[in-house]
Amino acid sequence: MSKVTFDYSKAAPFIGAHEVDFMKKQVMDARELLVSKTGAGNDFLGWIDLPVDYDKEEFDRIKKAAAKIQSDSEVLLVIGIGGSYLGARAAIEFLRHSFYNSVSKEIRKTPEIYFVGNSISSTYIRHLIDVIGDRDFSINMISKSGTTTEPAIAFRVFKEMMEKKYGKKEAAGRIYATTDRAKGSLKGLATEEGYESFVVPDDVGGRFSVLTAVGLLPIAVSGADIDKLMEGAADGRKKALEAEYEDNDALKYAAVRNILHRKGKSVEILANYEPSVHYVSEWWKQLYGESEGKDQKGIFPASVDLTTDLHSMGQFIQDGSRIMFETVINVETSREEITINEEPVDLDGLNYLAGKSVDFVNKSAMNGTILAHTDGQVPNLMIDVPEVNEFYLGQLFYFFEFACGVSGYLLGVNPFNQPGVESYKKNMFALLGKPGYEAQREELLKRL
Ligand SMILES: O=P(O)(O)OC[C@H]1O[C@H](O)[C@H](O)[C@@H](O)[C@@H]1O
């Protein structure tokens, strides 16, 4: 059966086969730290076994809640930020219709889904209120800590809107809280108000939580098959845990990106040729950025959507500072085919493509770009996804997560914390006048 695979053959001009062999010991040591749960951050390794060891009773409740939302709501609001929204958004945009929210209900069949609480914009919130209008809606409020400011503000606004529309009691039946088992304001609120609650396990950090209720509830509401997603992840897990180094794509990816990093490549650009992959890249950026960017170390994770960005960032990638390597997510089989037709008069000069598919053109652009970038001294790595479905997405999620844990240990950091994220929060709280931040407030005001 085909599967998600990693291919670094196009990077041959930059990496000798012996270099990958020489990394074996280091990679296997890093892998051992991860799977024996003896490395830094080992309180947060619940994601390793999640695809096979998850709460089945909760999984059924997720499906039931999704069915209820599908039957009583035209709109679902997913409130969350970072790991509490990117996985769900990545999956829905990858798996469902490119114009999910705008396509007719007959085609979509499931509620419109909007993400909010991932910025602090009153304009965005106001415009979303306009979009909901008088329609029936539900809310999935997601926050592991239950205390994150951005989603908390959005939740206040939409909770009030919902309670005005339905009254407190019915509103409570339309709000689903995904949060810690016991701690945090959201948990307290959910218990107090009687919201149906789902758990983010203690040992699964936000950026590794897509296969918990955090990702699964919104994904299920969109009509995607969460059983298949978990099956794919379980398959990816088996491969990552059991395959020998020589046949282990996740370990190879960790090895190769660290080899390139040690040769001075400090930026990894994740490139795609399908707009539906855009949010997979956003999810990946958080996964690698928060896991590796610390102690003044790390590969900066960037992304481009191609061929779109070849007309904006293409110049820099081809010819600017030689600091990057590129990893292409290649969806091998396009979901749809459009054939370019012949025209009697070849005014636009495209008749040479008559009879060819748009995807053929896309793949030719991809292959041409890979060679051009390689000639421009940008090493190229490739992740092949056979086709768009839940199973392969599950494999892809797990592949990236496992490789990330190994890669972080290879780099010599704790891949499972994010201490740097707190700095802006402290300043923001001080400037907002949050109780307890009085001293910092004075200091900061002097500097503004
Ligand atoms: O789920 P939450 O606790 O609200 O956290 C949401 C996100 O914000 C934090 O600041 C962290 O940096 C992220 O790792 C996390 O995914």
Side-chain angles (χ1 to χ4, degrees):
M1 184 177 178
S2 42
K3 55 185 181 309
V4 170
T5 49
F6 172 62
D7 172 12
Y8 63 100
S9 59
K10 296 281 185 307
F14 309 94
I15 303 174
H18 65 282
E19 293 180 68
V20 180
D21 291 345
F22 291 172
M23 286 292 280
K24 181 172 178 178
K25 171 84 170 68
Q26 289 175 46
V27 173
M28 294 312 278
D29 285 352
R31 177 202 173 279
E32 184 55 24
L33 270 183
L34 188 68
V35 300
S36 66
K37 305 193 173 178
T38 49
N42 57 3
D43 288 351
F44 291 97
L45 297 178
W47 57 271
I48 293 180
D49 293 328
L50 210 49
V52 289
D53 182 15
Y54 57 91
D55 182 340
K56 309 284 185 308
E57 180 274 327
E58 180 172 84
F59 196 80
D60 278 347
R61 268 197 314 118
I62 291 172
K63 287 186 186 166
K64 289 202 179 93
K68 176 170 179 296
I69 295 167
Q70 286 167 346
S71 71
D72 71 7
S73 302
E74 288 189 67
V75 174
L76 171 69
L77 300 185
V78 179
I79 303 182
I81 196 165
S84 289
Y85 102 101
L86 285 168
R89 190 159 194 179
I92 294 168
E93 299 221 353
F94 183 70
L95 296 168
R96 306 294 281 123
H97 197 282
S98 300
F99 301 93
Y100 178 84
N101 282 329
S102 353
V103 79
S104 74
K105 234 192 255 175
E106 288 66 41
I107 294 182
R108 191 182 54 244
K109 297 190 175 74
T110 46
E112 291 169 27
I113 299 177
Y114 296 96
F115 295 89
V116 62
N118 52 65
S119 65
I120 319 180
S121 163
S122 20
T123 307
Y124 185 94
I125 291 175
R126 175 66 65 207
H127 289 174
L128 184 53
I129 292 172
D130 291 342
V131 168
I132 300 169
D134 293 334
R135 298 183 298 163
D136 285 317
F137 70 107
S138 294
I139 295 176
N140 183 196
M141 169 63 185
I142 311 173
S143 177
K144 182 177 181 193
S145 63
T147 57
T148 308
T149 311
E150 290 89 338
I153 290 172
F155 186 51
R156 250 198 199 205
V157 174
F158 288 105
K159 176 170 165 284
E160 187 188 321
M161 177 176 167
M162 186 169 259
E163 289 177 350
K164 271 200 189 128
K165 182 176 168 77
Y166 296 103
K168 228 173 156 29
K169 189 159 177 284
E170 192 184 337
R174 290 176 166 274
I175 297 175
Y176 302 83
T178 306
T179 189
D180 189 85
R181 197 179 304 277
K183 306 186 292 285
S185 341
L186 178 57
K187 179 64 199 169
L189 195 63
T191 311
E192 186 68 24
E193 306 276 8
Y195 306 150
E196 171 148 30
S197 296
F198 299 97
V199 171
V200 192
D202 283 344
D203 57 358
V204 179
R207 58 187 174 276
F208 289 86
S209 68
V210 58
L211 300 173
T212 70
V214 170
L216 295 176
L217 179 55
I219 295 170
V221 173
S222 82
D225 185 337
I226 58 173
D227 286 295
K228 287 272 174 307
L229 186 73
M230 292 305 262
E231 274 171 36
D235 195 67
R237 174 183 172 276
K238 191 169 156 53
K239 188 118 203 320
L241 287 177
E242 293 176 10
E244 298 296 328
Y245 179 68
E246 288 70 19
D247 301 315
N248 193 315
D249 283 348
L251 297 183
K252 290 274 189 62
Y253 175 54
V256 167
R257 61 198 299 283
N258 277 278
I259 292 171
L260 292 170
H261 182 46
R262 291 174 196 183
K263 292 187 189 206
K265 302 295 184 191
S266 51
V267 176
E268 177 174 8
I269 303 176
L270 196 69
N272 68 72
Y273 286 80
E274 283 291 342
S276 64
V277 180
H278 175 85
Y279 270 93
V280 172
S281 299
E282 296 302 314
W283 170 83
W284 171 88
K285 283 195 279 192
Q286 186 198 1
L287 183 65
Y288 280 78
E290 281 196 341
S291 299
E292 295 194 324
K294 52 197 66 160
D295 303 327
Q296 283 79 58
K297 290 194 275 194
I299 301 170
F300 183 81
S303 65
V304 286
D305 298 325
L306 305 181
T307 60
T308 316
D309 295 339
L310 289 177
H311 302 266
S312 56
M313 294 298 287
Q315 170 62 35
F316 196 111
I317 299 171
Q318 186 67 43
D319 206 21
S321 325
R322 301 297 72 194
I323 54 174
M324 76 276 282
F325 62 99
E326 183 176 53
T327 302
V328 175
I329 296 187
N330 171 32
V331 177
E332 287 174 343
T333 312
S334 172
R335 293 167 77 180
E336 304 287 345
E337 278 292 1
I338 290 190
T339 304
I340 299 166
N341 292 330
E342 173 129 13
E343 285 200 2
V345 185
D346 192 18
L347 285 177
D348 58 8
L350 283 185
N351 269 355
Y352 79 101
L353 292 175
K356 300 278 193 316
S357 71
V358 171
D359 192 54
F360 170 77
V361 179
N362 198 24
K363 292 286 188 294
S364 303
M366 179 184 83
N367 289 327
T369 305
I370 290 171
L371 296 178
H373 288 176
T374 303
D375 292 343
Q377 303 304 301
V378 178
N380 194 281
L381 314 177
M382 185 99 125
I383 293 164
D384 290 306
V385 180
E387 61 184 287
V388 172
N389 65 31
E390 291 84 345
F391 186 82
Y392 292 129
L393 181 62
Q395 281 191 352
L396 185 68
F397 279 146
Y398 199 89
F399 164 84
F400 276 137
E401 289 180 354
F402 195 82
C404 183
V406 174
S407 184
Y409 282 142
L410 271 175
L411 196 65
V413 298
N414 173 354
F416 305 108
N417 65 2
Q418 55 285 331
V421 180
E422 295 311 310
S423 305
Y424 100 88
K425 291 185 187 171
K426 282 185 199 134
N427 285 359
M428 176 177 74
F429 291 144
L431 292 172
L432 286 171
K434 188 172 179 173
Y437 290 82
E438 293 75 8
Q440 291 101 308
R441 180 177 166 78
E442 290 313 309
E443 286 303 308
L444 291 179
L445 286 175
K446 274 186 230 153
R447 287 171 56 198
L448 279 179

